[in-house]
Every structure is written in structure tokens, then in C-alpha cells.
Amino acid sequence: MGKSIIQLVDELPADNITVKVLKALDYLAPGEWNNLVGFDNTIRAVTGETDPKVIQRLRDRAVSLYFDPKKGYEAAVTVYQTIDKADAAMGAAAMANKIGEKISFLSFLGNITPKADVTQTIDLLLKIAVEIIAFCKLNGIPQPNPQQFAAALANNYQDAALMRMVALVCIDGLLPLGPDFLSKIQTIISGTDPNTVAANPVFSAVSSSLPGNSTSDKFGFITQAFSSVQGWMNGLVAKTGLTPQSIFNSVGKFIQVADDNLDFVAAFLDQTTNYYEHTGIQTVARRVILDAYDAVKAEMQQEGATSSPSSSASGTSETGSYTVGQTVEVWDGEDEDWYQATIQKVKAKEYYVHYVGYGSSDDEWVDEDDVRSRDFATTDDNGYAVGQKVKIWDDDEEEWYSAIIKEIRRKQYYIHYIGYDDSDDEWVDSDDIS
């Protein structure tokens, strides 16, 4: 038996070259990826759960689910790990080939290593195939299905899964193959013999996971996989204005790269990063935790629990947490006003929100202190209610403070400042509240 999902997530690095590269590419999918490390921390971020007893139950159930072969979780992680381990060797081959092209004395290296463009193309194609295989395993689809995957990629991919595909386009597509990488791949596919692909070390490593009885069948699946996502890749490049140089510039902000030759940079990243394994583990961990959470909630209901696993996950209290999909109000410090928004993601005590009536470019992470519930059945003439979170202006400090209304008398409000003891509770006028 291999490592448990708990061990895998606990061992994920908080900071290394892979993490730096992913952070450098985060601007292409803002708010989608957060480097969640530590299994308990991931549980809290995904579910909002804080009860230690329930977290322990989730840990136990997650381990059981992960090793259940019917679920496909462990198998998905295995293919992610396999592709990255073999990819490192291909990165070395690509680097050796470029050295052979650059220095005539070492040109003999070209006789024993594949051309870099062919190498990178096979690398990218196999990573797409592996992503489809993992996707189908995680979603209970019996056979790898490129069409179902393509639909999910266009409409449902998010978090670490979306970041992985963005990184694939950048690191394995644009950077090593150039701005015309899609047409170049098509040309290489049409001119490549299946036996050439079969000799590739990455193909050999993942061949048993590829559908088909022969090399030709497997190569056919690989080309079909690429065709299914080509439109999405082209759309991403068009929407973001991506170029090899823009990727290099962004990566250079996080990693000091000595050589500005993009071929060498691409080969270097091949050897030094394992973004498929890293984000793959994060994707599987999220799915396992949500699966475990549903099971534990059902168990607790059967046991006659008086509440759901996390009272904070219900989102019904101003002093508790909020949940994905919940409509809330978010405080804008510059405008000094509240704006209606929908919570899209939860990360500890932070929330990624979409402002109602505004474009996705305004979506952002906000602190829990600047979020409040809108679920108050009765309010006074000013729109305030007992238990509601508000902002109180302090003339001396010239600052807004968060507070909870405890009592209302006409146009005066008795408030408790969040984070302060009861001795600071006081009456304030409506002019001082927002």
C-alpha cells in the first residue's frame, strides 16, 4: 500500500520552484489556485469545518475512501505522479538536444536524443491524455472520454485543476514550442510514426493506463485527446494575450533565470518542476474531502446529531463562517459602503466573492471581517437589525470598526465591537453606522 492522501498532502511543499512557477502563472486564472498544504488545513479550507472531533472523522474517512479502488482516487494520483517523474527525464533530453544544436562540438548529442520540438510535443500530448484519464477516474466514467472532459474543462474546471491546465499551456506549450505551438503540434502529429512515440520514455511509463490494445490505438487516443482541448487552449491564449516572452517575464519575477533563451528555460522547468503531481494531489484531496464530508454529515444525522458537522459552515450567524453559493454583503473600505456579492470559494477565514452586477474582473478575496449576512427578516427604518454586523466610525482614530448590534432604541444602537470585550460596548447614533 502506498502513501495515504493525508501523507501526500502533508508532504506538499509550501514553497519551492514548482510553487513559485505556479504563483507566477496565477494571474492567468486569478483566485483559482491557493497552495493548500497540510491535510487538516485543507479540510478547514474546503469545508469550513473547525471542530477537531469532526476533522478527525473526516481524516479517517478520507483515508478509507482514498484507498477504495472503486473510487479511483489513488489511481488518479498515480498517473499524475508517473507523468511528472518521466517528464523530468524528457526535460533532460530536451536540454541535451539544445546544447547539441548550440555548440557544434556537442552536435553528436543530436544522434541520441529526440528533437526538442518532438519531445515537447509528445510530453504535452501525454499530459493531456493523463488529465483525461484522471478526470474520468475521479468522476466514475468507466472509459477515458475526451468529449466529456472537454466539456468539463470549458465549464466546470476550477481551483488546482484549472491551474494545472493553464500551466500545461504555458510550460509545455507556448514556452518551449513558441506562439504557433498549436499548429506546430498538428504538424508534428501528422508526421510522427506511432513507433516513434512508443519509444518515448514517458509513453512507456503511462502506456498501461492509455486505452487501446496496440500502439496505434493508444496513439489514436492521444491525438483525439489533443483535438478535444485544442479549442480551449486557443481560447485561453487569445483571451489572455499570452506569449512566450510574457510567460518568461512573469516567471522571472519569482525565479532568477540566468539564461534568457526560452528553449533552455523550458527544459529547465521540465526538470525542476512537478506541477502535475503537486496540483494533482491537491485536486484529488479536495474531491476526497468533499466525499468524506458528505458521508460524515449523513452519519451524524443518522446518529441524531442536533446540528450539521460544522455550525460555522451553516452561514446563519454573523459571528460564524459563510458558505459557497451564499449571497452576502461585502464592505468596500474606499467607497465606505456594503456591496451585494456571492461567495464562490472559502479559504480559512477568507472568501472569494463575485459582486452582483459586476464583471468577473472585480472578483476578489476578502477577509471575513468585511463580510456580513443579508438574512434578516425584520429591520428598523434604517435597515438595521439586532444581531447584524455593521461598521462603526471612530472620529478619534479616523477608522471604521466592525461591530454587532445588540439592541435598538429608536435611532440609537447598542453595539459590541468584534474582537473587544464587553466593557467597550456602547450606544451610537445612526450617523455613525454603516
Side-chain angles (χ1 to χ4, degrees):
M1 182 179 291
K3 293 181 179 179
S4 71
I5 189 63
I6 294 176
Q7 290 174 288
L8 291 169
V9 177
D10 283 344
E11 291 173 1
L12 286 176
D15 187 32
N16 65 355
I17 292 179
T18 295
V19 174
K20 284 181 168 61
V21 170
L22 290 171
K23 286 181 177 179
L25 302 177
D26 182 63
Y27 76 99
L28 298 169
E32 286 294 341
W33 181 72
N34 176 44
N35 187 35
L36 285 176
V37 297
F39 196 75
D40 288 3
N41 181 50
T42 304
I43 288 176
R44 287 188 287 267
V46 171
T47 68
E49 185 57 66
T50 57
D51 186 334
K53 293 182 179 178
V54 179
I55 288 177
Q56 184 58 53
R57 290 183 67 164
L58 290 173
R59 285 169 59 92
D60 294 340
R61 179 54 61 91
V63 171
S64 175
L65 290 170
Y66 178 73
F67 286 124
D68 183 351
K70 296 179 181 177
K71 293 290 185 179
Y73 294 131
E74 187 180 19
V77 167
T78 298
V79 292
Y80 284 133
Q81 291 175 324
T82 302
I83 195 77
D84 258 341
K85 286 181 173 62
D87 181 36
M90 288 182 69
M95 179 73 85
N97 184 76
K98 286 301 174 181
I99 293 173
E101 292 177 352
K102 191 172 184 179
I103 304 173
S104 60
F105 179 73
L106 297 179
S107 61
F108 69 89
L109 286 175
N111 296 323
I112 59 172
T113 57
K115 284 289 185 181
D117 287 352
V118 175
T119 301
Q120 293 293 343
T121 295
I122 295 173
D123 184 9
L124 183 145
L125 294 176
L126 288 168
K127 282 185 175 177
I128 295 172
V130 160
E131 184 67 24
I132 294 174
I133 291 167
F135 166 81
C136 291
K137 288 182 181 298
L138 292 176
N139 289 278
I141 301 171
Q143 295 296 325
N145 189 312
Q147 287 69 39
Q148 284 186 265
F149 167 74
L153 176 61
N155 301 303
N156 306 118
Y157 252 45
Q158 59 183 348
D159 303 308
L162 180 59
M163 193 69 235
R164 184 167 54 257
M165 294 303 293
V166 169
L168 176 67
V169 172
C170 296
I171 298 174
D172 291 287
L174 269 167
L175 197 56
L177 297 174
D180 59 343
F181 76 103
L182 291 172
S183 60
K184 185 177 289 186
I185 290 171
Q186 285 283 21
T187 301
I188 291 174
I189 288 175
S190 62
T192 299
D193 185 272
N195 292 324
T196 301
V197 178
N200 183 279
V202 177
F203 179 87
S204 299
V206 301
S207 178
S208 60
S209 299
L210 298 172
N213 297 320
S214 66
T215 299
S216 294
D217 290 342
K218 295 176 188 293
F219 184 63
F221 170 75
I222 293 170
T223 57
Q224 184 185 6
F226 172 69
S227 297
S228 71
V229 302
Q230 188 174 358
W232 178 86
M233 288 182 163
N234 188 57
L236 175 68
V237 174
K239 181 176 67 175
T240 59
L242 266 174
T243 65
Q245 192 61 48
S246 68
I247 298 168
F248 174 79
N249 292 340
S250 183
V251 170
K253 295 176 183 178
F254 290 81
I255 302 173
Q256 186 174 3
V257 182
D259 198 316
D260 62 358
N261 185 309
L262 298 185
D263 291 330
F264 278 90
V265 173
F268 166 76
L269 295 178
D270 262 345
Q271 294 180 74
T272 58
T273 63
N274 66 328
Y275 73 91
Y276 242 61
E277 177 183 8
H278 188 102
T279 60
I281 289 172
Q282 290 174 328
T283 294
V284 173
R286 175 178 288 272
R287 294 292 297 271
V288 172
I289 288 169
L290 289 173
D291 196 353
Y293 193 52
D294 288 341
V296 169
K297 284 194 294 185
E299 288 175 355
M300 294 184 72
Q301 289 172 353
Q302 291 177 355
E303 293 166 2
T306 58
S307 63
S308 62
S310 173
S311 59
S312 65
S314 66
T316 58
S317 171
E318 282 289 7
T319 57
S321 298
Y322 308 93
T323 56
V324 172
Q326 184 177 356
T327 300
V328 295
E329 290 182 339
V330 177
W331 176 254
D332 186 309
E334 290 187 5
D335 293 346
E336 298 184 340
D337 202 358
W338 297 90
Y339 288 86
Q340 186 175 343
T342 302
I343 293 175
Q344 295 186 325
K345 301 177 186 179
V346 178
K347 179 179 67 177
K349 295 297 182 181
E350 290 185 301
Y351 303 88
Y352 192 70
V353 299
H354 169 73
Y355 292 97
V356 177
Y358 292 82
S360 60
S361 60
D362 292 311
D363 294 357
E364 62 177 347
W365 286 100
V366 295
D367 190 86
E368 186 180 60
D369 189 52
D370 292 327
V371 180
R372 74 179 183 184
S373 172
R374 303 176 66 252
D375 301 329
F376 290 92
T378 59
T379 61
D380 67 359
D381 293 339
N382 293 319
Y384 299 120
V386 172
Q388 184 179 21
K389 180 189 285 185
V390 292
K391 294 287 184 176
I392 308 295
W393 178 253
D394 188 306
D395 285 325
D396 294 333
E397 299 292 336
E398 294 187 340
E399 187 174 352
W400 291 96
Y401 288 87
S402 296
I404 299 294
I405 297 174
K406 299 178 69 174
E407 186 178 349
I408 299 176
R409 291 183 185 175
R410 296 185 180 180
K411 292 187 178 181
Q412 285 201 316
Y413 304 86
Y414 193 67
I415 55 92
H416 169 74
Y417 291 99
I418 297 174
Y420 295 82
D421 59 40
D422 293 345
S423 63
D424 293 309
D425 293 0
E426 62 177 347
W427 287 96
V428 296
D429 294 327
S430 58
D431 293 339
D432 297 322
I433 295 183
S434 180

